[in-house]
Amino acid sequence: MTMPDVASSAPAAVDPLHAPTGAHRRRGPFAVGERIQLTDPKGRMHTITLETGKQFFTHRGSLRHDDLIQSPDGSTVTNTAGVEYLALRPLLSDYVMSMPRGAAVVYPKDSAQVVAMADIFPGARVVEAGVGSGALTMSLLRAVGDHGVVHSFERRGEFADIARGNVEAFFGGSHPAWTLTVGDLVGTLELAVPDGSIDRVVLDMLAPWECLAVVADALAPGGVLICYVATATQLSRVAEAAREHGGYTEPQAWESLVRGWHLEGLAVRPEHRMHGHTGFLITTRRLAPGVTPPLRKRRPAKGAYDPQTPQPFLEGTWEAEDVGERVVSDKKLRRLARAASRTAANQPVSGAIPEISDVEEGRDDQL
Protein backbone atom coordinates (compact mmCIF):
# COMPACT_ATOMS: atom_id res chain seq x y z
CA MET A 1 0.00 0.00 0.00
CA THR A 2 1.36 3.43 -0.94
CA MET A 3 1.75 5.77 2.00
CA PRO A 4 0.50 9.36 1.55
CA ASP A 5 3.09 12.01 0.96
CA VAL A 6 2.97 13.92 4.26
CA ALA A 7 5.28 16.66 3.12
CA SER A 8 3.10 17.52 0.14
CA SER A 9 0.12 18.25 2.41
CA ALA A 10 1.95 20.97 4.32
CA PRO A 11 0.66 24.49 3.64
CA ALA A 12 2.76 26.51 1.23
CA ALA A 13 4.62 29.53 2.56
CA VAL A 14 2.83 32.82 1.94
CA ASP A 15 4.77 35.51 0.12
CA PRO A 16 4.69 38.57 2.43
CA LEU A 17 4.41 40.83 -0.61
CA HIS A 18 1.20 39.07 -1.66
CA ALA A 19 -0.31 38.41 1.76
CA PRO A 20 -3.88 39.63 2.36
CA THR A 21 -4.17 43.26 3.40
CA GLY A 22 -3.56 43.68 7.11
CA ALA A 23 -2.18 40.17 7.64
CA HIS A 24 1.28 41.51 8.46
CA ARG A 25 -0.25 43.34 11.45
CA ARG A 26 -1.73 40.15 12.90
CA ARG A 27 1.50 38.19 13.44
CA GLY A 28 5.13 38.66 14.42
CA PRO A 29 6.66 40.84 17.19
CA PHE A 30 5.05 44.07 18.33
CA ALA A 31 6.04 47.06 16.18
CA VAL A 32 5.97 50.82 16.60
CA GLY A 33 2.54 52.24 15.77
CA GLU A 34 0.62 49.08 16.73
CA ARG A 35 -2.26 49.10 19.15
CA ILE A 36 -1.66 46.66 22.01
CA GLN A 37 -4.11 45.38 24.61
CA LEU A 38 -2.81 45.23 28.20
CA THR A 39 -4.62 43.16 30.84
CA ASP A 40 -3.83 43.58 34.55
CA PRO A 41 -4.18 40.88 37.26
CA LYS A 42 -7.79 41.96 37.93
CA GLY A 43 -8.78 41.51 34.28
CA ARG A 44 -8.98 45.21 33.51
CA MET A 45 -7.96 45.99 29.94
CA HIS A 46 -6.25 49.00 28.43
CA THR A 47 -5.39 49.72 24.81
CA ILE A 48 -2.25 51.67 23.96
CA THR A 49 -0.50 52.64 20.73
CA LEU A 50 3.20 51.77 20.89
CA GLU A 51 5.57 54.72 20.43
CA THR A 52 9.32 54.90 21.00
CA GLY A 53 10.20 56.63 24.26
CA LYS A 54 6.62 56.81 25.54
CA GLN A 55 5.23 55.46 28.82
CA PHE A 56 1.87 54.07 29.90
CA PHE A 57 0.75 55.54 33.24
CA THR A 58 -1.83 54.26 35.74
CA HIS A 59 -2.50 55.06 39.41
CA ARG A 60 -0.26 52.06 40.16
CA GLY A 61 2.97 52.84 38.36
CA SER A 62 4.04 53.10 34.73
CA LEU A 63 5.65 50.96 32.05
CA ARG A 64 7.80 51.86 29.07
CA HIS A 65 6.58 51.24 25.53
CA ASP A 66 10.15 50.29 24.63
CA ASP A 67 9.81 47.24 26.88
CA LEU A 68 7.04 45.96 24.58
CA ILE A 69 8.38 46.94 21.16
CA GLN A 70 9.82 43.86 19.39
CA SER A 71 8.37 41.54 22.06
CA PRO A 72 6.36 38.54 20.84
CA ASP A 73 2.57 38.52 20.98
CA GLY A 74 1.38 37.08 24.29
CA SER A 75 4.23 38.54 26.36
CA THR A 76 4.10 39.87 29.90
CA VAL A 77 5.59 43.12 31.13
CA THR A 78 5.99 44.49 34.67
CA ASN A 79 5.53 48.17 35.51
CA THR A 80 7.45 50.27 38.03
CA ALA A 81 5.16 49.19 40.88
CA GLY A 82 5.62 45.49 40.19
CA VAL A 83 2.21 45.01 38.52
CA GLU A 84 2.39 42.44 35.73
CA TYR A 85 0.43 42.99 32.51
CA LEU A 86 -0.37 40.52 29.74
CA ALA A 87 0.22 42.09 26.30
CA LEU A 88 -1.75 40.84 23.29
CA ARG A 89 -2.78 42.17 19.91
CA PRO A 90 -6.44 43.15 20.10
CA LEU A 91 -8.78 40.88 18.18
CA LEU A 92 -11.13 42.59 15.78
CA SER A 93 -13.86 42.33 18.44
CA ASP A 94 -11.55 44.05 20.95
CA TYR A 95 -10.48 46.71 18.49
CA VAL A 96 -13.98 47.89 17.57
CA MET A 97 -14.91 48.30 21.24
CA SER A 98 -11.96 50.60 22.00
CA MET A 99 -11.53 52.60 18.77
CA PRO A 100 -12.70 56.24 18.36
CA ARG A 101 -16.40 56.28 17.59
CA GLY A 102 -18.84 58.93 16.53
CA ALA A 103 -21.89 56.73 15.93
CA ALA A 104 -22.83 53.63 17.91
CA VAL A 105 -20.94 50.63 16.58
CA VAL A 106 -22.41 47.35 15.38
CA TYR A 107 -21.39 44.94 18.12
CA PRO A 108 -19.23 41.92 17.29
CA LYS A 109 -22.07 39.48 17.95
CA ASP A 110 -24.18 41.23 15.31
CA SER A 111 -21.30 41.66 12.85
CA ALA A 112 -20.71 37.92 13.02
CA GLN A 113 -24.39 37.29 12.32
CA VAL A 114 -24.31 39.63 9.31
CA VAL A 115 -21.26 37.91 7.79
CA ALA A 116 -22.67 34.41 8.35
CA MET A 117 -26.38 34.88 7.66
CA ALA A 118 -25.89 37.16 4.64
CA ASP A 119 -23.30 34.69 3.31
CA ILE A 120 -20.56 37.26 2.73
CA PHE A 121 -18.05 35.21 0.73
CA PRO A 122 -14.50 35.88 -0.58
CA GLY A 123 -14.74 37.95 -3.74
CA ALA A 124 -18.30 39.11 -3.04
CA ARG A 125 -19.51 42.51 -4.24
CA VAL A 126 -21.12 44.17 -1.23
CA VAL A 127 -22.85 47.51 -0.76
CA GLU A 128 -22.97 48.89 2.78
CA ALA A 129 -25.01 51.93 3.78
CA GLY A 130 -24.58 53.59 7.15
CA VAL A 131 -20.85 53.23 7.86
CA GLY A 132 -20.96 54.86 11.29
CA SER A 133 -17.54 54.31 12.89
CA GLY A 134 -16.49 51.50 10.56
CA ALA A 135 -16.96 48.47 12.85
CA LEU A 136 -19.10 46.44 10.45
CA THR A 137 -17.03 47.63 7.49
CA MET A 138 -13.95 45.86 8.88
CA SER A 139 -15.82 42.56 9.19
CA LEU A 140 -17.11 42.90 5.63
CA LEU A 141 -13.63 43.64 4.26
CA ARG A 142 -12.21 40.67 6.15
CA ALA A 143 -14.88 38.44 4.59
CA VAL A 144 -14.64 39.58 0.95
CA GLY A 145 -10.83 39.72 0.90
CA ASP A 146 -8.61 41.77 -1.40
CA HIS A 147 -10.41 40.58 -4.54
CA GLY A 148 -13.91 41.45 -3.41
CA VAL A 149 -15.68 44.82 -3.30
CA VAL A 150 -17.17 46.70 -0.37
CA HIS A 151 -18.76 49.95 -1.52
CA SER A 152 -19.77 51.91 1.57
CA PHE A 153 -22.11 54.90 1.63
CA GLU A 154 -22.32 57.39 4.51
CA ARG A 155 -24.47 60.51 4.59
CA ARG A 156 -22.35 62.41 7.15
CA GLY A 157 -18.82 63.45 6.26
CA GLU A 158 -17.72 63.44 9.92
CA PHE A 159 -18.72 59.80 10.34
CA ALA A 160 -16.97 58.94 7.08
CA ASP A 161 -13.73 60.53 8.34
CA ILE A 162 -13.88 58.58 11.61
CA ALA A 163 -14.61 55.32 9.80
CA ARG A 164 -11.79 55.87 7.30
CA GLY A 165 -9.30 56.49 10.11
CA ASN A 166 -10.40 53.42 12.06
CA VAL A 167 -10.32 51.10 9.06
CA GLU A 168 -6.92 52.29 7.87
CA ALA A 169 -5.50 52.01 11.39
CA PHE A 170 -6.70 48.42 11.69
CA PHE A 171 -5.48 47.24 8.28
CA GLY A 172 -2.31 49.33 8.31
CA GLY A 173 -3.38 51.45 5.35
CA SER A 174 -6.10 51.67 2.73
CA HIS A 175 -7.86 48.43 1.78
CA PRO A 176 -7.92 47.62 -1.97
CA ALA A 177 -11.49 46.30 -1.80
CA TRP A 178 -12.99 49.37 -0.10
CA THR A 179 -14.65 52.39 -1.67
CA LEU A 180 -16.22 55.02 0.59
CA THR A 181 -18.77 57.49 -0.80
CA VAL A 182 -20.22 60.39 1.15
CA GLY A 183 -23.83 60.80 0.09
CA ASP A 184 -27.33 59.40 0.33
CA LEU A 185 -27.75 55.84 -0.91
CA VAL A 186 -30.97 56.54 -2.80
CA GLY A 187 -29.40 59.30 -4.87
CA THR A 188 -25.95 57.82 -5.44
CA LEU A 189 -26.26 54.02 -5.67
CA GLU A 190 -27.58 53.85 -9.23
CA LEU A 191 -24.75 56.11 -10.36
CA ALA A 192 -22.07 54.10 -8.55
CA VAL A 193 -22.90 50.49 -9.50
CA PRO A 194 -24.51 48.86 -12.59
CA ASP A 195 -27.92 47.25 -12.22
CA GLY A 196 -27.84 43.62 -11.14
CA SER A 197 -24.12 43.68 -10.24
CA ILE A 198 -24.23 43.47 -6.43
CA ASP A 199 -24.25 40.21 -4.47
CA ARG A 200 -25.09 41.52 -1.00
CA VAL A 201 -26.49 44.74 0.50
CA VAL A 202 -26.13 45.62 4.19
CA LEU A 203 -28.21 48.53 5.51
CA ASP A 204 -27.57 50.04 8.95
CA MET A 205 -29.72 53.17 8.94
CA LEU A 206 -32.81 54.75 10.43
CA ALA A 207 -35.16 54.16 7.50
CA PRO A 208 -33.94 51.28 5.31
CA TRP A 209 -37.39 50.87 3.73
CA GLU A 210 -36.73 54.07 1.77
CA CYS A 211 -33.92 52.29 -0.12
CA LEU A 212 -35.66 49.05 -1.14
CA ALA A 213 -36.34 50.14 -4.72
CA VAL A 214 -32.77 51.22 -5.56
CA VAL A 215 -31.37 48.19 -3.73
CA ALA A 216 -33.59 45.91 -5.81
CA ASP A 217 -32.16 47.42 -9.00
CA ALA A 218 -28.57 46.92 -7.82
CA LEU A 219 -28.95 43.36 -6.47
CA ALA A 220 -28.35 40.36 -8.69
CA PRO A 221 -31.13 37.72 -8.71
CA GLY A 222 -30.77 35.69 -5.53
CA GLY A 223 -28.74 38.45 -3.86
CA VAL A 224 -29.20 39.03 -0.14
CA LEU A 225 -30.42 42.18 1.58
CA ILE A 226 -29.82 42.35 5.34
CA CYS A 227 -30.88 45.27 7.52
CA TYR A 228 -29.82 46.14 11.06
CA VAL A 229 -32.47 48.13 12.96
CA ALA A 230 -32.85 49.13 16.59
CA THR A 231 -36.60 48.98 17.28
CA ALA A 232 -39.52 46.67 16.64
CA THR A 233 -41.31 49.51 14.83
CA GLN A 234 -38.50 49.79 12.30
CA LEU A 235 -38.43 46.01 11.97
CA SER A 236 -42.13 45.86 11.15
CA ARG A 237 -41.95 48.63 8.59
CA VAL A 238 -39.00 47.06 6.74
CA ALA A 239 -40.85 43.74 6.53
CA GLU A 240 -44.06 45.30 5.25
CA ALA A 241 -42.21 47.47 2.72
CA ALA A 242 -40.35 44.42 1.36
CA ARG A 243 -43.63 42.54 0.95
CA GLU A 244 -45.26 45.52 -0.71
CA HIS A 245 -42.34 45.91 -3.16
CA GLY A 246 -42.96 42.44 -4.55
CA GLY A 247 -39.40 41.79 -5.70
CA TYR A 248 -38.15 40.16 -2.51
CA THR A 249 -38.67 36.83 -0.79
CA GLU A 250 -40.55 36.60 2.50
CA PRO A 251 -38.38 38.45 5.08
CA GLN A 252 -36.97 36.73 8.15
CA ALA A 253 -36.00 38.50 11.37
CA TRP A 254 -34.17 37.64 14.58
CA GLU A 255 -31.97 38.99 17.35
CA SER A 256 -29.01 37.43 19.12
CA LEU A 257 -28.42 37.32 22.87
CA VAL A 258 -25.04 36.31 24.30
CA ARG A 259 -24.59 35.08 27.87
CA GLY A 260 -21.13 34.38 29.23
CA TRP A 261 -20.27 31.75 31.81
CA HIS A 262 -18.25 32.08 35.01
CA LEU A 263 -15.49 29.45 35.14
CA GLU A 264 -13.70 29.14 38.48
CA GLY A 265 -12.91 25.64 39.69
CA LEU A 266 -16.20 23.91 40.43
CA ALA A 267 -18.08 27.22 40.36
CA VAL A 268 -19.30 26.90 36.77
CA ARG A 269 -22.45 28.96 36.24
CA PRO A 270 -23.94 31.64 33.98
CA GLU A 271 -22.63 35.14 34.57
CA HIS A 272 -24.91 37.58 36.32
CA ARG A 273 -24.86 39.95 33.37
CA MET A 274 -25.50 39.14 29.74
CA HIS A 275 -25.25 40.91 26.39
CA GLY A 276 -28.88 41.35 25.58
CA HIS A 277 -30.70 43.31 22.90
CA THR A 278 -28.56 45.51 20.68
CA GLY A 279 -30.60 45.42 17.48
CA PHE A 280 -32.70 43.32 15.13
CA LEU A 281 -31.52 41.74 11.89
CA ILE A 282 -33.92 41.19 9.02
CA THR A 283 -32.97 39.49 5.77
CA THR A 284 -34.59 38.84 2.41
CA ARG A 285 -33.43 37.85 -1.09
CA ARG A 286 -33.91 39.40 -4.50
CA LEU A 287 -36.23 37.60 -6.88
CA ALA A 288 -35.49 37.29 -10.58
CA PRO A 289 -36.92 40.10 -12.75
CA GLY A 290 -40.59 39.61 -13.50
CA VAL A 291 -41.06 36.95 -10.81
CA THR A 292 -43.68 37.47 -8.13
CA PRO A 293 -43.32 35.74 -4.77
CA PRO A 294 -45.72 32.89 -3.95
CA LEU A 295 -48.68 33.99 -1.86
CA ARG A 296 -47.71 33.52 1.79
CA LYS A 297 -50.50 32.17 3.96
CA ARG A 298 -50.25 33.79 7.36
CA ARG A 299 -52.64 34.70 10.11
CA PRO A 300 -51.82 38.22 11.27
CA ALA A 301 -53.40 39.95 14.21
CA LYS A 302 -56.91 41.25 13.58
CA GLY A 303 -56.71 44.57 11.76
CA ALA A 304 -52.97 44.33 11.05
CA TYR A 305 -53.55 44.83 7.31
CA ASP A 306 -56.79 46.83 7.53
CA PRO A 307 -56.34 50.02 5.44
CA GLN A 308 -58.81 51.75 7.77
CA THR A 309 -56.55 51.15 10.78
CA PRO A 310 -54.43 54.24 11.46
CA GLN A 311 -50.69 53.56 11.50
CA PRO A 312 -49.02 56.90 12.30
CA PHE A 313 -45.58 55.31 12.63
CA LEU A 314 -45.56 54.66 8.87
CA GLU A 315 -45.65 58.36 8.03
CA GLY A 316 -43.23 61.22 8.41
CA THR A 317 -39.47 61.60 8.56
CA TRP A 318 -37.48 59.59 11.07
CA GLU A 319 -34.75 61.14 13.18
CA ALA A 320 -32.11 59.53 15.38
CA GLU A 321 -33.94 60.62 18.53
CA ASP A 322 -37.05 58.69 17.41
CA VAL A 323 -35.29 55.37 18.03
CA GLY A 324 -33.49 56.43 21.19
CA GLU A 325 -30.11 57.09 19.57
CA ARG A 326 -27.90 59.55 21.42
CA VAL A 327 -26.92 62.43 19.14
CA VAL A 328 -23.22 63.30 19.14
CA SER A 329 -22.29 66.98 18.90
CA ASP A 330 -20.53 68.29 15.80
CA LYS A 331 -17.59 69.44 17.95
CA LYS A 332 -17.04 65.95 19.34
CA LEU A 333 -17.33 64.41 15.86
CA ARG A 334 -14.60 66.70 14.54
CA ARG A 335 -12.36 65.79 17.48
CA LEU A 336 -12.95 62.07 16.97
CA ALA A 337 -12.25 62.36 13.24
CA ARG A 338 -8.90 64.03 13.98
CA ALA A 339 -8.05 61.33 16.53
CA ALA A 340 -8.90 58.52 14.12
CA SER A 341 -6.87 60.10 11.32
CA ARG A 342 -3.82 60.48 13.58
CA THR A 343 -4.13 56.89 14.74
CA ALA A 344 -4.25 55.67 11.13
CA ALA A 345 -1.10 57.66 10.39
CA ASN A 346 0.60 56.19 13.50
CA GLN A 347 0.84 59.65 15.01
CA PRO A 348 0.56 60.33 18.76
CA VAL A 349 -2.91 61.49 19.74
CA SER A 350 -2.81 64.36 22.21
CA GLY A 351 -5.73 65.21 24.43
CA ALA A 352 -8.49 63.36 22.56
CA ILE A 353 -7.65 59.75 23.37
CA PRO A 354 -4.26 59.54 25.15
CA GLU A 355 -4.50 55.99 26.43
CA ILE A 356 -7.86 54.29 25.94
CA SER A 357 -9.06 52.30 28.90
CA ASP A 358 -11.52 49.64 27.85
CA VAL A 359 -13.19 49.89 31.25
CA GLU A 360 -13.66 53.65 30.83
CA GLU A 361 -14.94 53.16 27.26
CA GLY A 362 -17.77 50.87 28.39
CA ARG A 363 -15.81 47.67 27.96
CA ASP A 364 -18.16 45.87 30.36
CA ASP A 365 -20.51 45.26 27.44
CA GLN A 366 -17.86 43.90 25.10
CA LEU A 367 -18.72 40.68 23.30
Side-chain angles (χ1 to χ4, degrees):
M1 181 176 65
T2 303
M3 298 297 293
D5 186 355
V6 177
S8 64
S9 63
V14 177
D15 183 356
L17 297 177
H18 298 88
T21 300
H24 67 286
R25 299 175 66 89
R26 313 309 305 160
R27 58 170 69 98
F30 297 142
V32 174
E34 278 198 82
R35 300 185 74 177
I36 302 301
Q37 179 178 284
L38 300 175
T39 306
D40 68 12
K42 292 186 177 181
R44 292 174 296 200
M45 289 177 281
H46 307 268
T47 302
I48 65 173
T49 301
L50 294 179
E51 299 177 40
T52 304
K54 294 288 185 176
Q55 296 186 68
F56 168 64
F57 292 93
T58 69
H59 66 286
R60 296 189 61 189
S62 63
L63 61 85
R64 299 166 59 245
H65 288 203
D66 291 340
D67 294 338
L68 284 169
I69 296 172
Q70 293 303 313
S71 297
D73 200 352
S75 299
T76 58
V77 62
T78 304
N79 72 0
T80 55
V83 178
E84 189 176 46
Y85 289 84
L86 173 64
L88 291 165
R89 280 191 178 87
L91 304 176
L92 177 56
S93 57
D94 301 318
Y95 180 86
V96 300
M97 298 306 298
S98 63
M99 67 186 187
R101 65 179 78 168
V105 299
V106 176
Y107 279 71
K109 72 180 181 71
D110 297 316
S111 295
Q113 290 275 302
V114 169
V115 171
M117 302 306 288
D119 189 30
I120 310 295
F121 56 90
R125 295 160 298 184
V126 180
V127 163
E128 175 199 20
V131 177
S133 299
L136 180 56
T137 306
M138 297 179 212
S139 293
L140 296 175
L141 289 170
R142 274 273 192 87
V144 304
D146 290 358
H147 301 293
V149 172
V150 175
H151 198 144
S152 302
F153 295 82
E154 173 56 55
R155 296 177 63 181
R156 301 194 59 174
E158 301 92 338
F159 286 172
D161 291 339
I162 295 171
R164 184 181 292 107
N166 287 332
V167 171
E168 292 182 357
F170 181 76
F171 287 104
S174 59
H175 197 288
W178 192 36
T179 302
L180 177 59
T181 298
V182 178
D184 185 72
L185 183 71
V186 173
T188 56
L189 181 59
E190 61 181 356
L191 302 176
V193 301
D195 289 353
S197 64
I198 299 302
D199 300 307
R200 307 289 184 260
V201 174
V202 183
L203 302 182
D204 175 16
M205 54 175 59
L206 288 172
W209 51 85
E210 297 176 350
C211 306
L212 294 185
V214 295
V215 166
D217 292 337
L219 273 175
V224 178
L225 165 65
I226 187 166
C227 304
Y228 180 78
V229 294
T231 68
T233 306
Q234 291 171 288
L235 182 68
S236 175
R237 184 161 183 185
V238 174
E240 295 308 318
R243 292 176 179 131
E244 183 179 358
H245 181 277
Y248 294 99
T249 61
E250 180 67 16
Q252 296 180 328
W254 72 97
E255 64 174 333
S256 62
L257 310 176
V258 176
R259 182 175 70 173
W261 277 66
H262 174 84
L263 302 172
E264 190 69 36
L266 296 179
V268 180
R269 55 168 175 75
E271 291 181 354
H272 297 304
R273 300 180 63 184
M274 70 176 294
H275 309 299
H277 175 77
T278 50
F280 297 103
L281 287 168
I282 179 169
T283 184
T284 182
R285 300 186 67 176
R286 181 71 168 101
L287 295 171
V291 174
T292 57
L295 182 63
R296 174 72 180 271
K297 293 184 178 181
R298 53 182 180 267
R299 302 172 66 181
K302 186 176 180 181
Y305 297 95
D306 184 356
Q308 303 302 321
T309 303
Q311 295 179 326
F313 69 90
L314 296 180
E315 305 298 334
T317 302
W318 286 51
E319 302 294 341
E321 296 90 336
D322 296 331
V323 294
E325 182 177 326
R326 186 181 65 180
V327 178
V328 184
S329 67
D330 292 339
K331 180 179 179 180
K332 183 175 181 180
L333 286 176
R334 290 192 295 269
R335 177 169 60 85
L336 288 168
R338 291 194 299 269
S341 299
R342 291 172 183 170
T343 302
N346 294 332
Q347 298 179 10
V349 179
S350 59
I353 309 176
E355 306 290 352
I356 300 177
S357 168
D358 294 330
V359 175
E360 297 170 354
E361 288 290 314
R363 185 51 177 268
D364 56 351
D365 62 356
Q366 180 196 348
L367 304 182

